[in-house]
């Protein structure tokens, strides 16, 4: 049976062509690329980035048989000084062909600026009924998760639109209690194949991704490896299909 896998979070501008090829050869058919402009100073950097990931890279991926979708937003690793201009423009960009939500957004330190930028984007997701991918950093995870979920509750975003990314055993109960959707990054620094299969019932309602970037060791075939690993462990095929494809398809309508 041919595989139809989905990687629900990568950064395509950082992905070598060979990485995209390996994804296609391993059975990935749909990919969501999330916005990120490291150390951005100006809103224009994001505008160009949105055009790049919704245009050029979409065609490139299609030539390998991958449907590339995008989420747009302001990443905490690059909040430009004129960020309110982006907030104003995001609703228009949400109408672009292939844009399926907001992301990657979230906080790294939980500063007032990060809170303001996240809140404004949660409000857009709420008003335009689009899913939003909110990342939880490597450090200070419990506090940032709590702060994120408190902001989400304040804004009143429906829980089925809230994707909490880089979920792991430490925060999975907080995510579940809120009713949000856990996204699970498969790589050594996040969830390993063994942790995934050993705790499969806790992760069962989530969606897998590789979050491929060039910032530390990453593997663009993480979702493919997880698919095969879970099969080898005898995990229910319906559950595997949900984690590696159907959940993302239903949340993002792709
Ligand atoms: Zn990311």
């Amino acid at each position: 049976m041919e595989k139809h896998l989905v990687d629900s979070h990568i950064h395509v501008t950082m992905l070598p062509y060979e990485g995209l090829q390996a994804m296609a050869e391993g059975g990935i058919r749909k990919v969501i690329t999330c916005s990120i402009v490291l150390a951005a100073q100006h809103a224009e950097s994001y505008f160009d980035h949105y055009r790049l990931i919704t245009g050029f890279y979409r065609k490139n991926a299609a030539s390998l048989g991958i449907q590339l979708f995008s989420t747009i937003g302001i990443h905490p690793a690059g909040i430009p000084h004129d960020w309110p201009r982006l907030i104003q423009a995001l609703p228009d960009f949400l109408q672009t062909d292939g844009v399926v939500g907001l992301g990657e957004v979230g906080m790294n330190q939980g500063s007032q600026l990060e809170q303001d930028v996240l809140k404004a984007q949660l409000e857009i997701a709420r008003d335009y009924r689009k899913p939003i991918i909110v990342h939880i950093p490597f450090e200070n995870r419990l506090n940032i998760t709590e702060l994120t979920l408190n902001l989400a509750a304040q804004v009143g975003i429906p829980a089925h639109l809230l994707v909490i990314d880089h979920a792991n055993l430490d925060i999975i109960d907080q995510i579940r209690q809120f009713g949000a959707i856990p996204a699970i990054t498969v790589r050594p620094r996040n969830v390993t194949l063994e942790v995934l299969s050993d705790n499969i019932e806790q992760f069962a309602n989530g969606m897998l991704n590789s979050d491929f970037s060039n910032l530390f060791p990453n593997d663009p075939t993480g979702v493919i490896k997880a698919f095969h690993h879970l099969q080898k462990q005898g995990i229910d095929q319906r559950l595997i299909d949900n984690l590696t494809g159907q959940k993302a398809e239903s949340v993002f309508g792709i």
Side-chain angles (χ1 to χ4, degrees):
M1 198 181 76
E2 215 205 332
K3 295 192 295 291
H4 279 273
L5 307 181
V6 179
D7 191 333
S8 62
H9 177 163
I10 71 156
H11 299 286
V12 74
T13 55
M14 299 184 188
L15 183 68
Y17 186 75
E18 290 76 7
L20 203 58
Q21 266 180 324
M23 293 173 94
E25 281 162 16
I28 291 188
R29 295 291 171 265
K30 296 175 188 171
V31 171
I32 298 173
T33 187
C34 298
S35 294
I36 185 169
V37 184
L38 293 170
Q41 292 286 308
H42 311 285
E44 265 67 22
S45 302
Y46 273 97
F47 290 138
D48 282 343
H49 182 72
Y50 301 155
R51 290 185 192 104
L52 187 58
I53 63 175
T54 58
F56 183 90
Y57 278 105
R58 200 158 183 237
K59 288 191 196 123
N60 210 38
S63 73
L64 286 171
I66 290 177
Q67 274 186 283
L68 184 70
F69 300 93
S70 315
T71 57
I72 52 163
I74 308 166
H75 193 286
I79 299 177
H81 64 86
D82 51 353
W83 64 271
R85 290 182 52 217
L86 288 163
I87 298 296
Q88 272 190 320
L90 283 174
D92 279 347
F93 273 99
L94 277 176
Q95 307 305 318
T96 308
D97 196 28
V99 173
V100 294
L102 289 112
E104 172 178 13
V105 306
M107 299 182 283
N108 283 338
Q109 277 85 38
S111 68
Q112 191 58 52
L113 173 65
E114 284 184 351
Q115 290 184 48
D116 292 345
V117 174
L118 174 57
K119 189 159 178 264
Q121 295 183 95
L122 287 166
E123 287 168 352
I124 294 173
R126 175 200 64 197
D127 293 347
Y128 292 86
R129 296 169 201 275
K130 296 284 185 189
I132 182 165
I133 300 174
V134 186
H135 101 154
I136 302 299
F138 290 114
E139 312 289 335
N140 201 16
R141 288 170 56 82
L142 300 189
N143 289 338
I144 296 285
T145 304
E146 197 183 338
L147 195 54
T148 299
L149 294 175
N150 286 345
L151 274 176
Q154 250 181 57
V155 165
I157 183 169
H160 72 273
L161 296 177
L162 185 63
V163 178
I164 301 292
D165 212 329
H166 317 318
N168 207 333
L169 295 172
D170 56 348
I171 58 169
I172 196 78
D173 288 336
Q174 279 170 284
I175 299 170
R176 200 170 15 203
Q177 275 160 23
F178 192 89
I181 302 141
I184 300 132
T185 302
V186 182
R187 69 181 162 209
R189 266 185 99 177
N190 290 93
V191 175
T192 61
L193 297 179
E194 289 67 33
V195 168
L196 180 64
S197 54
D198 288 352
N199 302 279
I200 193 68
E201 59 297 323
Q202 298 206 60
F203 293 122
N205 192 36
M207 60 175 90
L208 301 187
N209 65 62
S210 68
D211 184 26
F212 187 89
S213 77
N214 59 10
L215 304 176
F216 40 79
N218 278 279
D219 181 355
T221 63
V223 175
I224 300 161
K225 286 183 179 136
F227 180 89
H228 293 297
H229 174 77
L230 294 175
Q231 275 193 331
K232 213 184 290 172
Q233 302 297 310
I235 305 292
D236 183 347
Q237 187 62 45
R238 282 167 303 180
L239 207 157
I240 299 173
D241 290 342
N242 200 50
L243 276 166
T244 60
Q246 286 162 6
K247 186 71 180 181
E249 288 178 332
S250 76
V251 168
F252 292 98
I254 60 175

